[in-house]
């Protein structure tokens, strides 16, 4: 059986330690039988054929700008079954002006009240998803992400706001998604808002969720191929965004 192929797109703002996160993820994927490629330029997204050959795309790129044409290549590749998985700002604070990117990923960062070093808990939502099996609630001291989230996502973990008093506090208690999954066409999307610094994944529960999410997202390509489905069903001459 051929190895699964994973692309890690590494760059953007250095404060989120993209190189350390990429090293952790690529080591795990290599040990899990993946052929792993690291790219540090957005130019790789011009290669439409290569993107379609992937099983898994992992963005580790906070902020920056992405041209709409390149996003369209990704949208089609992910829609065909290529999985996408990532964490923190490297996925949901990438390319802030790109609304198609945000639509694919399931949400976008808007604030982290209190900045780094905020103590909070992650609450696991047990459901039919195998990704949370045997994982219990756990404590974190890091940035607590406030996100605008697609209502279509399946929420697997939440955190409670407000932790730090600010303008948002007058809305009362809010359960904010921390981990979610969704579909984009036939592709699987996994997001974990933890990961301000790489060492948050030294927390066993956080790393278990992340590892499972990476592997889960990568399975969508195989399933799509076995079912013989095609993105032709999504073709339309109507304006979508």
């Amino acid at each position: 059986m051929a190895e699964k192929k994973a692309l890690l797109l590494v760059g953007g703002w250095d404060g989120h330690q993209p190189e350390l996160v990429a090293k952790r993820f690529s080591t795990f994927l290599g040990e899990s039988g993946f052929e792993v490629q690291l790219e540090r330029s957005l130019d790789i997204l011009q290669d439409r054929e290569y993107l379609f050959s992937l099983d898994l795309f992992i963005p580790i790129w906070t902020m920056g700008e992405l041209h709409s044409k390149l996003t369209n290549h990704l949208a089609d590749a992910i829609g065909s079954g290529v999985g996408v998985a990532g964490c923190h700002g490297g996925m949901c604070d990438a390319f802030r002006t790109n609304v198609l990117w945000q639509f694919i990923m399931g949400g976008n960062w808007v604030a982290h009240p209190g900045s780094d070093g905020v103590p909070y808990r992650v609450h696991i939502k047990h459901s039919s998803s195998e990704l949370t099996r045997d994982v219990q609630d756990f404590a974190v001291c890091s940035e607590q992400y406030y996100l605008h989230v697609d209502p279509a996502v399946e929420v697997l973990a939440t955190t409670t706001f407000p932790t730090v008093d600010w303008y948002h506090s007058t809305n009362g208690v809010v359960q904010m998604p921390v981990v979610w999954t969704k579909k984009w066409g036939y592709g699987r999307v996994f997001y974990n808002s933890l990961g301000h610094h790489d060492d948050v994944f030294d927390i066993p529960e956080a790393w278990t969720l992340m590892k499972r999410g990476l592997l889960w997202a990568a399975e969508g390509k195989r399933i799509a191929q076995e079912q013989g489905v095609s993105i032709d069903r999504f073709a339309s001459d109507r304006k979508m965004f």
Side-chain angles (χ1 to χ4, degrees), residues 220-240:
K221 175 77 167 287
R222 176 186 61 79
I223 294 169
Q225 289 177 335
E226 288 178 354
Q227 293 178 346
V229 294
S230 168
I231 60 169
D232 291 346
R233 67 160 288 196
F234 304 117
S236 174
D237 60 1
R238 302 293 298 273
K239 186 175 182 180
M240 297 299 175

Side-chain angles (χ1 to χ4, degrees), residues 54-187:
L54 297 171
D55 296 278
L56 181 62
F57 170 62
I58 304 171
I60 310 176
W61 196 292
T62 304
M63 294 183 277
E65 295 185 6
L66 183 63
H67 190 280
S68 59
K69 178 181 177 182
L70 303 184
T71 321
N72 288 335
H73 291 336
L74 273 173
D76 291 344
I78 296 166
S80 76
V82 176
V84 56
C87 67
H88 202 62
M91 180 165 158
C92 282
D93 189 24
F95 318 122
R96 292 178 179 178
T97 62
N98 193 313
V99 293
L100 178 56
W101 176 275
Q102 294 166 8
F103 197 0
I104 295 168
M105 304 308 163
N108 59 290
W109 170 85
V110 293
H112 44 59
S115 193
D116 196 10
V118 173
Y120 63 96
R121 289 192 68 79
V122 174
H123 309 288
I124 303 300
K125 293 192 69 173
H126 293 286
S127 63
S128 60
S129 175
E130 281 292 302
L131 299 183
T132 59
R133 175 176 43 84
D134 298 328
V135 179
Q136 303 302 318
D137 295 357
F138 59 99
V140 176
C141 187
S142 183
E143 284 186 345
Q144 186 184 31
Y145 259 18
Y146 202 102
L147 299 134
H148 286 173
V149 181
D150 184 343
V153 305
E154 179 179 359
V155 178
L156 303 183
T158 64
T159 187
T160 304
F161 277 88
T163 302
V164 176
D165 195 38
W166 196 42
Y167 294 112
H168 66 302
S169 305
T170 52
N171 293 298
V173 173
V174 174
Q175 295 302 317
M176 179 60 56
V178 173
V179 180
W180 68 67
T181 59
K182 65 170 285 188
K183 299 293 292 293
W184 181 261
Y186 300 115

